[in-house]
Amino acid sequence: AYTSWERIDIAGAQRTITDTQDAIASIKNDPKLAELAKQRDELNAELDRVERQRIESDQAAARAGSAVEAALIWLRDHADTGTTDAAGATADNDDDAASGPLPDEVTAALAESYDNRFAGLADAAMRAHMIIGAGAAGTQAPGESFPERTIAGIGKDMASRINLLNGQADAARTGVESKMSTYIALYAADDDSLTASVEDYQYYLDELASLTQLAAVAATDAEYRRCLEQLLRSFLTIKRAIDTDASDIHDQLDRINAMLKGQQFGPKHGSLSLHADVRRPERTFWAQLIRVIGTLNDWKSADVNDSDASRKAFAACAPMVGLLRAELAQVKDANGVKSYGARNLDPRCRSSFYAIVHHADGPDERITSTGGRSGGALQELTSFVYGAALIYLLGGGLTSEPSYTTLFLDEALIKADGRYTQRALTVLPRLGFQVIVSAPESKTGEILEVSTKAYVTYKDPDTGLTSLREAVLHQNDMDDESSSDILKDDGVAE
């Protein structure tokens, strides 16, 4: 930067660069340097290996120290205990049982198995020699030392004892399940959910407790408490369902409307969305439900062992129970299908559904009924509504196409004109359904324009048998004659 251009020695600088590069090349090609580099790499690898060994040794030392510390703590805690005192051991919960001393039966079994390792030797000195391995010649083979033989022997004894106990448990299980089978045959023959298995043992205990309560001359205080707690849980469940039924319906409709978004509806190609107004239950029903929940909460927060308070709270539940019985009496079961009726419990009885058609270039249209509409317009509306209903029933989480997608329509479009027919058949495949339509020949032309395949039924006059033939449609033949005539000739569209 501070040298004039005339004083710069370009040739000298280039010679310097060349000499430097030659010097570097000669150094790199020196065998001694290559040997030193190799030796350096080997030493680095040895250093890494030694460092890993050091870390592993530190970890092993830490683990050994922890084991020694734990052993010292155990020895200090059990130095003066001798044998386990069953009377002083408590098992109030699973955690205490797991961290406390072993049961007497297990301790006795381990002690017996350990004594068997000495083959009846009573001399304490001889037993000590066996324990420390005194007199053993040289290095013992693996598995021949006293600790190893003792552990293996105790393991075999415990395995044999476990097998014996498993056999006793299986015999006890068989006896209990036999009694369960007898109970089912006598008292619960129609209950398919009940099995004669110890997995359902708790059910039989609950059933026995219930029968014991029923056999009592008068309801006990414990029975009052149990019934009141069950009533409180049931009333809270009803209240929670009523509080959330409107939001649940709106959430479902929001997911359905998300799938209907973008589907053109009506002659102006608007967008259809479904909505609902969910009314609250009757004021009398709701007020009584809130009142009885408050009564039961007050009872629970007070002394639940007060017999008089429990009986008074139980009597206060009678009006609400009567209302619920009246509600459930309105539900009618006809041929296995339960009809509406429980207006305060069933949100469908308190809901009114309507559709909104949004137009980009005009006001929105609200549809609250199907009256006053032509057959074609009604067909298109029902296609949207039925499609949304089927998505709700078959679509799982409503995040993808329904899991079962085939939809059969038996002459469902015979009263709609061609324009509405095509629009109705177009929306269902877009919602994820495969549509199979049966239609007379008069509707063939409109349906073929939006179909991917067509089949014609053909009846053989000689045999009386009917078969299906795939129709293949060619545009040049459609210019001269109608599709219905083509399909009628020989069963195959030419």
Side-chain angles (χ1 to χ4, degrees):
Y2 301 99
T3 305
S4 63
W5 180 256
E6 291 81 4
R7 299 182 61 183
I8 293 176
D9 185 6
I10 298 177
Q14 289 177 344
R15 286 194 301 272
T16 302
I17 293 173
T18 302
D19 294 342
T20 304
Q21 290 176 343
D22 293 340
I24 292 173
S26 63
I27 293 174
K28 287 183 176 180
N29 295 329
D30 187 358
K32 184 64 175 178
L33 180 63
E35 183 180 354
L36 291 175
K38 180 180 179 181
Q39 186 177 2
R40 180 200 60 191
D41 295 338
E42 293 176 351
L43 291 175
N44 287 334
E46 179 67 16
L47 178 62
D48 292 340
R49 186 182 63 80
V50 173
E51 184 65 19
R52 286 196 299 270
Q53 289 181 349
R54 185 188 65 80
I55 295 175
E56 293 175 355
S57 300
D58 291 342
Q59 293 175 348
R63 289 194 296 268
S66 300
V68 170
E69 183 179 357
L72 292 175
I73 294 174
W74 188 91
L75 290 174
R76 184 180 67 249
D77 294 341
H78 295 78
D80 300 327
T81 56
T83 59
T84 302
D85 185 4
T90 60
D92 293 337
N93 52 53
D94 293 341
D95 293 337
D96 293 339
S99 60
L102 293 174
D104 291 345
E105 184 179 357
V106 177
T107 302
L110 291 173
E112 179 183 356
S113 178
Y114 179 75
D115 288 338
N116 292 336
R117 301 307 105 201
F118 296 98
L121 291 177
D123 186 2
M126 184 61 68
R127 291 166 65 105
H129 280 291
M130 290 183 62
I131 293 173
I132 65 176
T139 303
Q140 295 178 330
E144 292 183 358
S145 64
F146 178 80
E148 292 173 332
R149 288 187 285 107
T150 301
I151 293 174
I154 293 177
K156 291 180 181 179
D157 291 344
M158 294 301 103
S160 176
R161 194 175 190 88
I162 290 173
N163 291 333
L164 176 62
L165 293 175
N166 285 335
Q168 296 175 355
D170 292 339
R173 175 193 291 266
T174 303
V176 171
E177 292 182 346
S178 176
K179 294 179 180 179
M180 291 179 176
S181 299
T182 303
Y183 178 85
I184 292 175
L186 293 176
Y187 304 107
D190 297 331
D191 191 351
D192 296 335
S193 62
L194 186 61
T195 60
S197 171
V198 293
E199 304 298 333
D200 291 342
Y201 186 67
Q202 185 61 41
Y203 166 83
Y204 293 91
L205 292 180
D206 295 340
E207 187 75 2
L208 179 61
S210 300
L211 293 175
T212 303
Q213 296 292 343
L214 292 176
V217 178
T220 62
D221 294 340
E223 181 69 9
Y224 269 107
R225 289 195 299 271
R226 186 181 67 83
C227 291
L228 289 174
E229 289 174 355
Q230 290 180 349
L231 285 171
L232 179 58
R233 287 194 297 268
S234 299
F235 292 149
L236 289 175
T237 300
I238 295 174
K239 180 180 180 298
R240 183 166 53 252
I242 294 176
D243 288 337
T244 59
D245 54 13
S247 60
D248 292 342
I249 292 176
H250 291 147
D251 290 342
Q252 294 287 3
L253 289 177
D254 289 342
R255 286 192 284 267
I256 291 175
N257 290 331
M259 298 193 70
L260 294 179
K261 188 177 181 180
Q263 307 295 332
Q264 294 182 352
F265 176 84
K268 296 182 180 180
H269 304 296
S271 59
L272 181 76
S273 59
L274 303 178
H275 305 271
D277 291 329
V278 184
R279 298 179 296 278
R280 297 290 295 177
E282 297 175 355
R283 181 173 299 178
T284 303
F285 180 89
W286 183 251
Q288 185 62 44
L289 179 61
I290 298 299
R291 186 180 301 110
V292 72
I293 291 176
T295 300
L296 293 178
N297 282 329
D298 293 340
W299 164 81
K300 192 171 184 179
S301 60
D303 186 8
V304 296
N305 295 320
D306 188 346
S307 301
D308 294 336
S310 298
R311 285 166 171 77
K312 185 178 179 180
F314 187 80
C317 297
M320 189 65 222
V321 173
L323 290 177
L324 291 175
R325 287 177 174 173
E327 286 285 323
L328 297 177
Q330 302 300 319
V331 180
K332 306 299 181 182
D333 192 347
N335 298 325
V337 179
K338 294 187 181 298
S339 62
Y340 296 92
R343 303 188 61 83
N344 292 307
L345 296 177
D346 195 334
R348 295 173 297 181
C349 300
R350 298 181 274 107
S351 303
S352 58
F353 293 85
Y354 59 93
I356 296 293
V357 183
H358 176 71
H359 300 288
D361 56 351
D364 293 345
E365 176 186 1
R366 181 185 177 104
I367 302 175
T368 58
S369 68
T370 58
R373 292 182 172 272
S374 64
L378 181 60
Q379 182 64 57
E380 184 180 16
L381 176 62
T382 54
S383 296
F384 269 82
V385 175
Y386 288 160
L390 288 174
I391 290 174
Y392 171 76
L393 293 175
L394 306 176
L398 298 178
T399 57
S400 60
E401 296 181 354
S403 57
Y404 180 77
T405 60
T406 302
L407 179 63
F408 293 91
L409 301 178
D410 185 11
E411 297 189 359
L413 306 169
I414 58 177
K415 293 185 178 180
D417 58 30
R419 180 181 54 179
Y420 283 114
T421 297
Q422 292 181 2
R423 288 213 298 261
L425 288 178
T426 301
V427 65
L428 293 174
R430 290 177 180 173
L431 293 177
F433 296 97
Q434 177 194 33
V435 184
I436 299 178
V437 185
S438 66
E441 296 176 1
S442 60
K443 306 299 294 184
T444 304
E446 296 89 347
I447 297 176
L448 281 178
E449 293 186 17
V450 293
S451 300
T452 57
K453 286 188 179 182
Y455 293 87
V456 180
T457 57
Y458 175 78
K459 184 174 183 180
D460 191 336
D462 297 331
T463 62
L465 300 177
T466 302
S467 59
L468 288 177
R469 298 184 181 181
E470 184 175 358
V472 181
L473 188 64
H474 296 287
Q475 185 61 37
N476 54 355
D477 292 330
M478 285 294 294
D479 295 338
D480 300 328
E481 49 188 333
S482 66
S483 61
S484 61
D485 294 334
I486 294 173
L487 298 176
K488 185 178 179 182
D489 287 341
D490 57 0
V492 179
E494 299 293 343

